[in-house]
């Protein structure tokens, strides 16, 4: 896996018998995480095309069993900040995944989904290394 500032899109490819994932070095860690997971999905045998790659990324980064354990009614802004930090995803990605899994998006998630995840983390997060 390599991060290259000059890239415009993530790519997965082979160099000899080695697989490589290259992502643009955007500084947007949740976008880069999703891009790596998506490109990894393209390298998995049997995965074909964008839909399969995005489904692979969703299963990897936002596993249904982990999301089912969250009390979405009681989650606070601080709890949401901690969750997205630990999952390495944006609130928008979380909202899309919950909508696909459950057919609904909890109010707190909906409220933050259209805002930059960095705003949520600045206001409510205390990320740990």
């Amino acid at each position: 896996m390599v991060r290259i500032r000059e890239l415009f899109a993530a790519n997965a490819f082979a160099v000899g018998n080695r697989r490589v994932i290259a992502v643009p070095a955007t500084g947007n860690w949740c976008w880069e995480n999703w891009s790596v997971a998506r490109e990894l999905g393209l390298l998995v045998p049997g995965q074909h095309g964008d839909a399969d790659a995005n489904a692979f990324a969703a299963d990897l980064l936002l596993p249904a069993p982990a999301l089912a354990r969250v009390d979405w009614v009681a989650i606070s802004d601080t709890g949401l900040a901690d969750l997205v930090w630990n999952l390495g995803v944006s609130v928008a990605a979380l909202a899309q995944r919950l909508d696909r899994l459950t057919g609904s998006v909890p109010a707190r998630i909906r409220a933050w989904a259209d805002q930059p995840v960095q705003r949520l983390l600045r206001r409510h997060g205390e990320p740990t290394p």
Side-chain angles (χ1 to χ4, degrees), residues 83-109:
L83 181 68
V84 296
W85 175 261
N86 287 315
L87 293 172
V89 298
S90 68
V91 182
L94 175 61
Q96 288 178 4
R97 178 68 165 162
L98 289 172
D99 189 40
R100 284 198 176 95
L101 289 173
T102 67
S104 67
V105 178
R108 185 165 315 274
I109 308 325

Side-chain angles (χ1 to χ4, degrees), residues 8-93:
F8 293 103
N11 292 288
F13 54 92
V15 176
N17 64 350
R18 296 181 187 261
R19 303 293 182 244
V20 177
I21 295 174
V23 296
T26 65
N28 183 335
W29 59 271
C30 55
W31 183 87
E32 289 180 20
N33 286 346
W34 189 271
S35 295
V36 169
R38 185 186 172 292
E39 295 303 313
L40 183 60
L42 291 171
L43 296 175
V44 173
Q47 300 289 324
H48 305 288
D50 289 340
D52 286 344
N54 282 318
F56 179 89
D59 288 341
L60 181 66
L61 297 174
L62 297 161
L67 297 180
R69 292 190 293 270
V70 176
D71 184 346
W72 297 109
V73 174
I75 196 167
S76 65
D77 288 342
T78 301
L80 178 58
D82 187 53
L83 181 68
V84 296
W85 175 261
N86 287 315
L87 293 172
V89 298
S90 68
V91 182

